[in-house]
Amino acid sequence: MSYNPQMYASVKAELEKKRRKAISAADQRLEELDNKYPEIREVDMILKTTGLRIMEAIRMGKLGLEERMQALKEENELLLAKREEYLQKRGYPVNYTDPKFECSSCEDTGYCNGKMCTCLREALFRAGVARSGLGKLPEKQTFENFSLHYYSDPENMSAVLSFCRRYAAEFSEKTSENILLTGATGLGKTHLSTAIGQEVIRGGYDCVYTSAQNLLSDFEYERFGRNYKDDSPDRTEQYFRCDLLIIDDFGTEMGNSFTIASMYNLINSRMNAGRPIIINTNLSSSEIRNRYDDRIASRLFGEFIFFRLQGTDIRQQKRMHQ
């Protein structure tokens, strides 16, 4: 497991920018006080020499070192107490010149005691979601708000939900299996795959979510639309390289020899590389076999874990009860 290097570097750079900004603002506040109040400046000047005085105490040898260090400590404590008193008398909080970091735990470094801070993990998650193509779906489609109430067979859907939760929690780009979610419109296929996708991203993996139409539009652009002046990144590379690829609305794309060949190439390439795919489709098993050639159908039904969701469109049920 590793975060996308470019994304990690970008997020870490933004965090460092926030840290430098906080330190710069604190330095400006310190300069303001020192210019305005000579007594505070005098104390600050002495405190700035603490490191030098410690080094001098050490150079004097081991004999009496402990006593010298204790004396320095007590002197610093008195100076700090005096500084706080000066600040309070003038209406400033005692931490006025301390940097105001966004994260007090790691001081905007991203790490606490050698471990990644929650603030960096959350920033990487947000960046991963933005990069994935999930858009705003994670805001309303999670495992926590997936309700079994709307299904005629809640026991079966509970088993599907449990599988998807476990799949997301134990995801590995090398060992996780492929999933095929089928069923009519509005039965939660996108909801489940979105929930999986965001948990996979939270685990540090690179996930790409796209519709079959958009995916094949990118393949068509690379094959027929790109010209020699276009030096932008290859639009299809992400579909081959991401840790998890989620293809929604499989079967709604234009069907022709090029799109079928492109879809087969993508599925086959990812399977050969051991990179998992989740596919959502409204098509039945027979419709998939009729629409696609045997090479795609055999892989979908032979190499994917198959779930068929059944019931009545949940969106319609919700509207009826409003």
Side-chain angles (χ1 to χ4, degrees), residues 44-55:
D44 285 341
M45 290 178 66
I46 299 173
L47 287 171
K48 287 178 181 178
T49 67
T50 298
L52 292 174
R53 289 184 291 146
I54 290 174
M55 290 176 63

Side-chain angles (χ1 to χ4, degrees), residues 275-314:
R275 294 191 174 102
I277 313 170
I278 296 176
I279 292 178
N280 304 328
T281 182
N282 296 344
L283 300 179
S284 66
S285 301
S286 59
E287 288 172 330
I288 290 175
R289 289 189 173 92
N290 290 333
R291 181 179 178 86
Y292 298 97
D293 63 21
D294 291 339
R295 297 178 303 169
I296 291 180
S298 66
R299 279 160 177 75
L300 294 184
F301 296 116
E303 303 290 342
F304 283 64
I305 295 177
F306 178 88
F307 292 108
R308 180 159 186 80
L309 279 57
Q310 296 179 316
T312 304
D313 189 322
I314 293 173

Side-chain angles (χ1 to χ4, degrees), residues 121-139:
R121 287 190 184 278
E122 188 60 29
L124 287 167
F125 170 69
R126 292 195 300 270
V129 168
R131 175 186 173 88
S132 71
L134 283 167
K136 294 185 177 296
L137 290 175
E139 296 177 8

Side-chain angles (χ1 to χ4, degrees), residues 13 18 46-47 62 85 113 116 139 160 173 176 204 219 271:
K18 291 178 182 179
I46 299 173
L47 287 171
K62 293 184 179 180
E85 183 182 349
N113 301 319
M116 187 180 290
E139 296 177 8
V160 174
E173 79 279 21
S176 289
F219 275 94
M271 289 179 61

Side-chain angles (χ1 to χ4, degrees), residues 33-47:
L33 283 181
D34 285 351
N35 290 336
K36 196 171 183 179
Y37 304 107
E39 62 275 27
I40 295 179
R41 180 173 66 248
E42 183 179 351
V43 171
D44 285 341
M45 290 178 66
I46 299 173
L47 287 171

